[in-house]
Amino acid sequence: MALSGMRGLSVFISEIRNCQNKEQERLRVDKELGHIRNRFKNEKGLTVYDKKKYVWKMLYIFMLGYDVDFGHMEAVSLISAPKYPEKQVGYLVTSCLLNENHDFLRLAINTVRNDIIGRNETFQCLALTLVGNIGGRDFAESLAPDVQKLLISSSCRPLVKKKAALCLLRLFRKNPDVVNVDGWSDRMSQLLDERNLGVLTSSMSLFVSLVSNNHEAYWSCLPKCVKVLERLARNQDVPQEYTYYGIPSPWLQVKTMRALQYFPTIEDPNTRRALFEVLQRVLMGTDVVKNVNKNNASHAVLFEALALVMHLDAEKEMMSQCVALLGKFIAVREPNIRYLGLENMTRMLMVTDVQEIIKRHQAQIITSLKDPDISIRRRALDLLYAMCDISNAKDIVEELLQYLGTAEFTMREELALKAAILAEKFAPDLSWYVDVILQLIDKAGDFVSDDIWFRVVQFVTNNEDLQPYAALKAREYLDKPAIHETMMKVSAYLLGEYSHLLARRPGCSPKEIFSIIHEKLPTVSTPTISILLSTYAKILMHSQPPDPELQNQIWAIFSKYETSIDAEIQQRAVEYFALSKKGAALMDILAEMPKFPERESSLIKKAEDTEADTAELSAIKSRAQQQASNALVVTDQHPANEPPQVTQLGMVKIPSINNLENNHVDQEVTQTNGIMGEVEPQNGDILGDLLAIEGPPGVSGTETLTEEGALALAPVGELENAVKPVIDIAERFRDLCVKDSGVLYEDPYVQIGIKAEWRGHQGRLVLFLGNKTTSSLDSVHAVILPPSHLKLELSSVPEIIPPRAQVQCPLEVVNLCPSRDVAVLDFSYKFGTTLVDNKLRLPAVLNKFFHPVTLSAEEFFPQWRSLAAPPLKLQEVVRGVRVMSLGEMTNLLNSLKLIVSPGLDPNANNLVASTTFYSESTQSMLCLVRIETDPADRTQLRLTVASGDSTLTFELKEFIKEQLVSIPAASRPPVLQPTIQPISSSDPGALLAGLL
Amino acid sequence: MIHFVLSISRQGKVRLTKWYSPYSQKERIKVIRELSGMILTRGPKLCNVVEWRGFKVVYRRYAGLYFCMCINQEDNELEILEIIQYFVETLNRYFGTVCELDLIFHFHKTYYILDEILIAGELQESSKKIVHRLIDAQDLLVEAAKEKENTVSYIVAQVAN
């Protein structure tokens, strides 16, 4: 043992250990770093010994978590030292101090390569270890052939060979193309003939990785894997040093079984038989023993064997053997085995039809939900979620509800969400579903997201039979002395809508309902007050003939809130007050909510999202697919890239709640009933607009909108209409591309305003179709011609717009993939006998799906470098650029949400910008942009765009180009330059946009 | 694959870190802080796996020291648990009844031993005997170079005088 050596290092470590507190430690570290920096600055008198000592100290400091931003060069330079001791230190410290994204590493590639192809075995080992541990793409491209050569060379000894195998594995992970070369699969197959178990272990790891990427090329290796397993299982030719607690290399067994799971099936009957013999032996012959290590090792093999049996979809007999084993495992005392038993049961549900057998263990699984170990509780929760169907939903959900009361905070949200989803999917009857959700809110209100209560509201709204029950339940919860705010919201909402259905029950007269709700008002927050006000208005509407006392009470509240500091509350108070003076008219305006349109459950979507996060969920998804047919409520499952389809199986179909806004349900109430129509928040003249419903408007929204001015109108297609627009539509369209509200089109009769909200890859546009005249507009048609990358849903547009009225048409937008194509609104109407038809481009353009992001230099550059070449990074010299200063260009980019990071590029003539782009196909994706301007010629510049998606990079580059080039004098905005693209050429919208 | 190996004392002091996936220093500190919080507080007799950010961390406690390895969700947990044991047994054999102080003052040795056991986050060699032979050979190489150096520098010094 040679532990001797660096006194200075030991002294430093003890001094660090003697520090009384973190502050002292930091001072000591800073002092040392200062000292090292000085010594490195002046290379004179720095011995090799010193250098080694200092880089060790640096590594120690770095390991403690301090930044060490110098001295990398010294560490790297030790690699090229001629002698082993320096080289060894250089390699080790470099591989700990740097990671694959460091620039310094590139400096070392040549030295490392020389060591790999050189004759010195010890140097080869050092170099292969470094590359295997931190090599990146650069290394993969320059070194893969050398490492491959070494790996298959007959003169290469085991100690080098096993390192070469794992080194190649890393290079393959960084760039699969460098390894997938012709003839490699035959070489790989030869490597599996290796007798040395150390080398074979490394080669098998390499093989697992290769075969997981593409099994087709490696069929010839399959029988060899089975041979390896046979050899180990029979303990033939296994040297003592490779048995671990009496088990022939458990690790190699596990790896080999893992590799076999990447082949879809095993055709050859002999190989299959041989493998099943081995598996059978493992399944039957693994006993629980006293020695922990032996137990772990043998069960590592056993669980892998179970996974392989499941994968091969073995004979029924073997499967039930597996389930029986798992059933035993989930009840044992050893926590690891219990944990893995639960986990593997969940996996098993995913691949085979064993639900009925697993249900027999339900009681045991529920017990595990109360296990002291959170890891085990999580597995139990997942398993219960996956095994739930209509037959056991009631039991399982009730268990989850019970557990909710005692579960730790970190699990509550997930628990609440899962309980809500199961209740929704498998409800044996609807009233039970309502019970569950209300209990959820009652027990864990803080962890019940808005989605959950929105959903119950939708449910009740769409099911008339459920309404009296839900109202009654809500009423009962209000009797509790303290209730959660979410409960307050949902109760108030339900009672506002449906309390009149309870009128004859004791304690449920309008007056009583009002007073029990109003009692709680002082305790709730502002958003809830808005809901309460709506409830009061609804109660008032339902008490016909009016009860003067109640009316006065409610009026008093409305007038009190007319001066509220919160705009939303104030607005509601003012509106409801005015409305409630209208007597019978109130009935129409505040009528019951119509049914929600059919859409996918946002809850399930959300669950999928969270689960995608934790990458655990394919089991549950596949369960959901299997079970959709029994479900009471159909929640459409579809792959992320396809538009959702409505299935016909459901008894009840339920819309999703749009996540765009928290109080969406509530907002929708008012909108659908037509009140909010004219009261868009931007419009101050609320009363005037309200009146528009009944008669000629006062100062109407149309004027207000024009004053906003921002609005652009952009008809597409030739204007043959007799009626000409009164504003410059092209210019306005361009403005709307960077703003979210304004006028899209206006002529003497009609004005179309637009207001948009964007979140991630989704958006919600509202079109305001306003009739400016004193007679009706007939034959109003609005059709959206969407390009292929957008999914657009326009709610129905009325055929007739009454005189001086404005109608709102919400439009849902989902961005599927990156594209610059523009959606077109085909809008036509008849005024008298004149038919007016306009094709208007909608400002749902690429940059609307950007989310601003500001990057620091250390975040930007690694990304920039990792996206090294086309098609992910594209560069182009752009000529004919509009002349603008750098400041103007910065503003332009920022307005497009391409956020410029000043000072990030050392050259002051360059701009560097970044943004995040959202679409369904790319998810959120970082985009990086660099613009190099030429101070001598402002009309040209060099544009470089990078992102993780080639289409996105291309589209973004073209998009920026369009923004930068100068616009010809004709009113032809840049966006209109025909951009013929193969993907979109069949789109009507794109074709139209292209025509101009 | 193993994404990283950590060794943390019961007091939360870092004794060893090895990262096979690229993490910046900032991320490393965060990872260590999060995992210390999760793992050091776990009671005895619980399972050796914690679920964390979509990964699994397999850990094992030896006296006052925790060894942790982070793996993918679909990896075999028990296999990793025994890699930890095998690593510790190897350290034990090298240092002769290893204790925390050995790992502190000879942290560089620990790294050399780990490099003979794992590369690219995968097991490289499962024979303790062979790992020992290799580490001893490395030590010999270093010693030999030192002796040689001593003689040369001795001669140089003589000549200079």
Side-chain angles (χ1 to χ4, degrees):
Chain A
M1 187 166 83
L3 296 175
S4 57
M6 308 222 156
R7 229 181 79 78
L9 180 61
S10 302
V11 170
F12 172 65
I13 293 174
S14 0
E15 282 179 24
I16 289 285
R17 274 171 55 74
N18 289 337
C19 289
Q20 299 292 313
N21 53 43
K22 201 76 197 155
E23 191 45 36
Q24 271 187 17
E25 184 185 292
R26 171 172 290 283
L27 285 173
R28 182 65 191 89
V29 164
D30 285 345
K31 185 178 148 204
E32 193 64 34
L33 287 176
H35 175 65
I36 300 174
R37 195 193 299 262
N38 273 337
R39 293 301 309 268
F40 280 162
K41 250 189 219 156
N42 183 5
E43 287 255 352
K44 253 186 258 160
L46 195 66
T47 63
V48 181
Y49 174 84
D50 289 336
K51 234 184 186 176
K52 278 197 289 185
K53 182 177 70 185
Y54 291 137
V55 298
W56 278 126
K57 283 185 181 174
M58 277 164 42
L59 176 57
Y60 190 77
I61 290 170
F62 189 63
M63 194 177 83
L64 293 179
Y66 295 93
D67 283 326
V68 176
D69 49 8
F70 67 95
H72 297 168
M73 192 63 181
E74 280 73 10
V76 172
S77 71
L78 279 173
I79 290 178
S80 39
K83 285 192 220 129
Y84 181 77
E86 285 81 58
K87 217 181 224 328
Q88 186 199 28
V89 175
Y91 270 117
L92 192 119
V93 174
T94 303
S95 73
C96 292
L97 219 47
L98 304 186
N99 69 40
E100 64 185 64
N101 300 321
H102 274 87
D103 272 342
F104 269 114
L105 216 46
R106 253 185 244 153
L107 302 177
I109 290 187
N110 267 334
T111 321
V112 172
R113 177 160 189 267
N114 287 336
D115 282 341
I116 287 179
I117 59 177
R119 292 275 164 141
N120 186 326
E121 267 183 348
T122 47
F123 291 3
Q124 282 178 326
C125 287
L126 290 175
L128 291 168
T129 306
L130 174 112
V131 179
N133 286 339
I134 60 163
R137 271 188 88 92
D138 295 336
F139 279 83
E141 275 136 35
S142 4
L143 299 180
D146 298 321
V147 178
Q148 270 170 315
K149 219 152 106 198
L150 199 55
L151 181 55
I152 56 179
S153 138
S154 55
S155 61
C156 177
R157 291 208 302 154
L159 86 154
V160 181
K161 204 171 225 181
K162 61 193 184 187
K163 291 188 165 66
L166 291 180
C167 180
L168 191 62
L169 165 56
R170 171 140 193 142
L171 301 183
F172 173 75
R173 282 180 184 148
K174 295 301 155 192
N175 183 356
D177 298 338
V178 299
V179 177
N180 284 335
V181 289
D182 276 350
W184 180 252
S185 51
D186 296 338
R187 305 291 196 179
M188 188 66 238
S189 174
Q190 286 162 20
L191 287 172
L192 296 181
D193 293 331
E194 175 69 50
R195 302 307 289 175
N196 178 308
L197 290 181
V199 178
L200 190 55
T201 303
S202 297
S203 302
M204 195 59 83
S205 292
L206 171 63
F207 179 61
V208 169
S209 205
L210 293 173
V211 84
S212 72
N213 180 264
N214 167 24
H215 66 270
E216 286 295 343
Y218 296 101
W219 281 107
S220 64
C221 300
L222 195 152
K224 297 194 175 178
C225 291
V226 177
K227 286 250 152 55
V228 170
L229 278 181
E230 282 186 285
R231 174 183 167 193
L232 295 171
R234 300 203 180 119
N235 206 345
Q236 286 169 340
D237 184 21
V238 179
Q240 179 57 34
E241 62 200 84
Y242 284 102
T243 55
Y244 181 80
Y245 289 90
I247 300 160
S249 185
W251 298 289
L252 182 54
Q253 292 196 48
V254 167
K255 274 184 217 307
T256 313
M257 290 190 201
R258 184 52 66 101
L260 289 170
Q261 289 168 56
Y262 288 108
F263 291 98
T265 171
I266 296 176
E267 306 256 318
D268 175 50
N270 289 331
T271 313
R272 195 176 162 92
R273 197 174 326 112
L275 177 62
F276 274 106
E277 245 169 60
V278 172
L279 292 173
Q280 188 69 36
R281 192 191 288 236
V282 175
L283 292 188
M284 298 305 291
T286 309
D287 293 319
V288 179
V289 293
K290 260 209 145 155
N291 183 301
V292 166
N293 302 310
K294 180 169 183 166
N295 219 21
N296 287 339
S298 64
H299 282 80
V301 176
L302 174 58
F303 277 108
E304 205 61 48
L306 273 171
L308 183 53
V309 170
M310 284 188 242
H311 169 76
L312 294 171
D313 214 0
E315 300 89 70
K316 258 232 138 50
E317 197 185 321
M318 209 161 183
M319 277 304 197
S320 46
Q321 216 178 333
C322 291
V323 185
L325 267 177
L326 290 175
K328 200 176 90 190
F329 289 158
I330 63 171
V332 300
R333 275 186 52 203
E334 219 291 290
N336 287 319
I337 306 293
R338 215 159 58 229
Y339 173 87
L340 291 170
L342 291 166
E343 173 167 60
N344 282 282
M345 261 196 186
T346 315
R347 286 187 185 155
M348 193 148 207
L349 273 171
M350 180 172 138
V351 290
T352 100
D353 187 24
V354 288
Q355 192 157 19
E356 289 311 313
I357 321 178
I358 287 180
K359 273 190 201 164
R360 288 186 216 143
H361 300 285
Q362 191 167 314
Q364 182 60 43
I365 300 166
I366 285 173
T367 316
S368 302
L369 199 56
K370 295 155 191 151
D371 198 280
D373 187 343
I374 185 171
S375 298
I376 290 177
R377 287 196 300 271
R378 282 206 172 157
R379 288 298 108 226
L381 173 59
D382 262 13
L383 177 53
L384 285 172
Y385 182 73
M387 69 190 278
C388 191
D389 66 15
I390 196 153
S391 74
N392 56 11
K394 251 185 154 155
D395 294 339
I396 290 181
V397 171
E398 265 147 37
E399 281 300 333
L400 296 185
L401 282 175
Q402 212 181 36
Y403 174 41
L404 195 55
T406 52
E408 51 273 88
F409 287 161
T410 47
M411 269 181 83
R412 283 198 187 178
E413 185 164 2
E414 188 188 352
L415 196 56
L417 184 66
K418 285 192 162 146
I421 291 172
L422 292 178
E424 181 183 319
K425 266 190 353 202
F426 303 118
D429 59 80
L430 295 173
S431 51
W432 178 77
Y433 168 73
V434 172
D435 284 345
V436 168
I437 302 299
L438 293 180
Q439 278 187 60
L440 261 184
I441 298 173
D442 187 41
K443 290 191 169 178
D446 285 342
F447 300 91
V448 173
S449 61
D450 282 343
D451 291 342
I452 294 178
W453 81 263
F454 289 173
R455 194 87 178 122
V456 79
V457 162
Q458 290 181 333
F459 227 117
V460 173
T461 309
N462 287 16
N463 291 279
E464 269 166 47
D465 299 345
L466 201 54
Q467 291 162 358
Y469 181 79
L472 187 65
K473 279 283 154 186
R475 170 70 187 79
E476 280 170 13
Y477 274 104
L478 286 180
D479 281 334
K480 286 192 152 198
I483 66 173
H484 192 270
E485 179 136 349
T486 305
M487 183 64 89
M488 200 55 224
K489 288 180 186 166
V490 67
S491 308
Y493 185 94
L494 290 173
L495 289 172
E497 287 290 317
Y498 308 114
S499 63
H500 60 284
L501 303 172
L502 306 177
R504 285 196 205 98
R505 289 175 191 263
C508 295
S509 70
K511 224 166 161 172
E512 284 161 311
I513 298 273
F514 164 74
S515 64
I516 195 161
I517 294 177
H518 192 55
E519 229 169 64
K520 319 268 190 210
L521 187 135
T523 62
V524 300
S525 67
T526 321
T528 310
I529 294 180
S530 319
I531 296 175
L532 297 193
L533 292 181
S534 301
T535 303
Y536 298 163
K538 292 246 174 181
I539 291 177
L540 206 52
M541 181 268 292
H542 280 304
S543 52
Q544 298 294 349
D547 169 348
E549 196 189 328
L550 179 65
Q551 202 170 39
N552 286 335
Q553 260 179 308
I554 293 180
W555 279 348
I557 296 164
F558 287 156
S559 45
K560 176 182 160 203
Y561 282 106
E562 275 178 358
T563 53
S564 168
I565 197 160
D566 182 89
E568 179 66 32
I569 293 181
Q570 184 188 34
Q571 183 171 335
R572 285 189 195 210
V574 169
E575 283 167 19
Y576 293 146
F577 189 58
L579 275 171
S580 60
K581 301 260 171 173
K582 298 211 167 290
L586 187 67
M587 298 286 273
D588 298 333
I589 299 159
L590 288 177
E592 234 166 68
M593 276 289 291
K595 290 189 179 179
F596 286 85
E598 297 161 5
R599 251 182 261 145
E600 185 197 8
S601 164
S602 69
L603 275 192
I604 292 188
K605 246 185 121 196
K606 183 172 171 182
E608 283 170 2
D609 292 350
T610 29
E611 279 149 3
D613 285 351
T614 52
E616 68 183 4
L617 242 274
S618 39
I620 289 157
K621 270 189 209 160
S622 74
R623 300 286 311 145
Q625 268 155 1
Q626 283 168 27
Q627 292 173 348
S629 53
N630 328 338
L632 252 170
V633 181
V634 173
T635 47
D636 302 330
Q637 299 290 329
H638 54 85
N641 294 330
E642 280 172 30
Q645 301 150 351
V646 179
T647 65
Q648 274 116 45
L649 295 165
M651 285 171 54
V652 190
K653 291 178 185 163
I654 290 198
S656 75
I657 292 173
N658 202 318
N659 283 335
L660 286 178
E661 275 181 54
N662 284 341
N663 59 351
H664 193 78
V665 166
D666 197 57
Q667 193 200 0
E668 222 167 295
V669 180
T670 28
Q671 279 190 349
T672 324
N673 289 338
I675 309 173
M676 293 291 264
E678 275 76 25
V679 250
E680 270 315 293
Q682 85 236 38
N683 191 328
D685 195 351
I686 295 154
L687 262 183
D689 281 306
L690 284 173
L691 296 173
I693 294 165
E694 291 178 319
V699 193
S700 156
T702 47
E703 273 106 338
T704 329
L705 281 172
T706 345
E707 279 160 25
E708 288 235 333
L711 317 183
L713 230 303
V716 181
E718 287 160 60
L719 288 178
E720 315 152 334
N721 299 320
V723 178
K724 297 284 178 213
V726 297
I727 53 174
D728 181 351
I729 47 182
E731 189 197 321
R732 296 293 183 85
F733 172 78
R734 225 167 344 107
D735 288 346
L736 268 182
C737 288
V738 296
K739 294 182 76 165
D740 281 333
S741 62
V743 173
L744 183 68
Y745 171 82
E746 183 167 4
D747 65 25
Y749 311 121
V750 169
Q751 187 198 49
I752 304 178
I754 198 163
K755 191 169 180 307
E757 282 173 324
W758 306 96
R759 174 163 304 180
H761 67 288
Q762 295 174 323
R764 183 184 161 88
L765 293 167
V766 182
L767 298 174
F768 299 84
L769 309 176
N771 179 355
K772 293 161 74 177
T773 67
T774 49
S775 49
S776 301
L777 294 179
D778 298 339
S779 312
V780 176
H781 288 288
V783 180
I784 304 282
L785 309 169
S788 60
H789 73 289
L790 293 179
K791 196 158 67 115
L792 292 154
E793 273 180 45
L794 180 63
S795 64
S796 66
V797 177
E799 276 235 333
I800 297 173
I801 306 179
R804 306 214 68 116
Q806 193 188 50
V807 294
Q808 276 186 40
C809 309
L811 172 65
E812 305 287 352
V813 187
V814 178
N815 188 22
L816 304 173
C817 60
S819 167
R820 285 165 299 134
D821 294 338
V822 184
V824 171
L825 169 69
D826 186 354
F827 177 75
S828 61
Y829 66 93
K830 240 190 199 149
F831 179 70
T833 53
T834 328
L835 179 75
V836 184
D837 186 356
N838 279 299
K839 307 235 177 353
L840 304 164
R841 285 175 300 153
L842 286 174
V845 286
L846 192 72
N847 63 307
K848 299 288 183 184
F849 303 102
F850 289 164
H851 189 77
V853 55
T854 320
L855 296 186
S856 65
E858 56 270 34
E859 290 160 331
F860 185 92
F861 288 111
Q863 296 279 356
W864 183 252
R865 275 190 297 270
S866 71
L867 302 164
L872 296 184
K873 188 188 253 175
L874 296 172
Q875 192 167 72
E876 184 175 334
V877 174
V878 184
R879 295 178 213 286
V881 176
R882 262 190 293 158
V883 175
M884 56 183 129
S885 70
L886 275 178
E888 285 165 335
M889 198 178 284
T890 304
N891 289 340
L892 173 67
L893 290 173
N894 283 339
S895 74
L896 298 169
K897 291 187 256 179
L898 287 159
I899 302 304
V900 174
S901 305
L904 217 137
D905 195 308
N907 185 334
N909 287 313
N910 297 349
L911 292 178
V912 167
S914 52
T915 195
T916 312
F917 174 78
Y918 287 87
S919 75
E920 216 168 81
S921 70
T922 59
Q923 301 291 332
S924 74
M925 184 153 294
L926 188 65
C927 306
L928 307 173
V929 177
R930 185 182 194 203
I931 294 177
E932 295 156 275
T933 62
D934 180 359
D937 180 359
R938 288 237 164 259
T939 66
Q940 62 170 16
L941 51 78
R942 189 162 74 165
L943 172 65
T944 316
V945 177
S947 82
D949 179 277
S950 54
T951 319
L952 175 57
T953 304
F954 175 79
E955 292 294 336
L956 178 58
K957 186 197 70 171
E958 293 301 311
F959 176 78
I960 297 173
K961 243 167 69 188
E962 288 165 357
Q963 305 298 321
L964 293 173
V965 294
S966 60
I967 312 155
S971 67
R972 173 186 285 203
V975 203
L976 285 185
Q977 289 170 356
T979 49
I980 309 293
Q981 280 217 267
I983 22 163
S984 54
S985 55
S986 57
D987 275 341
L991 280 179
L992 271 168
L995 274 178
L996 248 194
Chain B
M1 110 172 243
I2 298 168
H3 294 280
F4 53 80
V5 177
L6 298 179
S7 171
I8 309 170
S9 77
R10 209 150 47 96
Q11 292 76 32
K13 296 261 188 232
V14 181
R15 298 304 181 211
L16 174 77
T17 65
K18 182 85 182 174
W19 309 82
Y20 298 101
S21 294
Y23 290 82
S24 70
Q25 179 77 337
K26 225 184 191 169
E27 290 163 337
R28 292 177 180 191
I29 295 168
K30 206 168 154 228
V31 167
I32 293 170
R33 198 187 307 125
E34 271 177 37
L35 285 177
S36 311
M38 279 175 78
I39 291 173
L40 304 185
T41 52
R42 275 171 72 84
K45 294 195 185 151
L46 301 184
C47 74
N48 294 80
V49 185
V50 291
E51 299 178 8
W52 167 80
R53 293 206 212 161
F55 295 103
K56 286 186 172 169
V57 178
V58 177
Y59 73 95
R60 200 154 173 174
R61 181 175 170 181
Y62 297 87
L65 206 56
Y66 289 79
F67 286 82
C68 319
M69 294 187 179
C70 173
I71 54 174
N72 292 330
Q73 211 140 38
E74 67 279 2
D75 290 344
N76 188 317
E77 298 86 349
L78 292 177
E79 173 200 25
I80 303 298
L81 193 56
E82 289 316 293
I83 290 184
I84 296 178
Q85 170 71 14
Y86 162 63
F87 175 46
V88 174
E89 284 179 12
T90 311
L91 291 173
N92 201 43
R93 186 158 153 188
Y94 183 80
F95 288 105
T97 329
V98 66
C99 67
E100 201 177 329
L101 281 179
D102 291 323
L103 303 192
I104 295 169
F105 285 99
H106 306 291
F107 72 99
H108 45 316
K109 270 292 147 201
T110 319
Y111 275 118
Y112 288 133
I113 293 170
L114 186 59
D115 271 355
E116 289 302 326
I117 291 178
L118 297 178
I119 290 185
E122 302 284 349
L123 183 67
Q124 170 191 189
E125 177 57 75
S126 63
S127 156
K128 257 181 281 178
K129 202 165 114 195
I130 291 181
V131 170
H132 268 279
R133 228 184 281 147
L134 292 171
I135 295 287
D136 287 345
Q138 286 179 14
D139 286 346
L140 279 177
L141 273 173
V142 175
E143 286 299 320
K146 207 191 259 169
E147 273 163 30
K148 199 170 144 203
E149 195 170 84
N150 282 345
T151 41
V152 174
S153 54
Y154 178 68
I155 294 161
V156 172
Q158 292 295 310
V159 172
N161 281 338

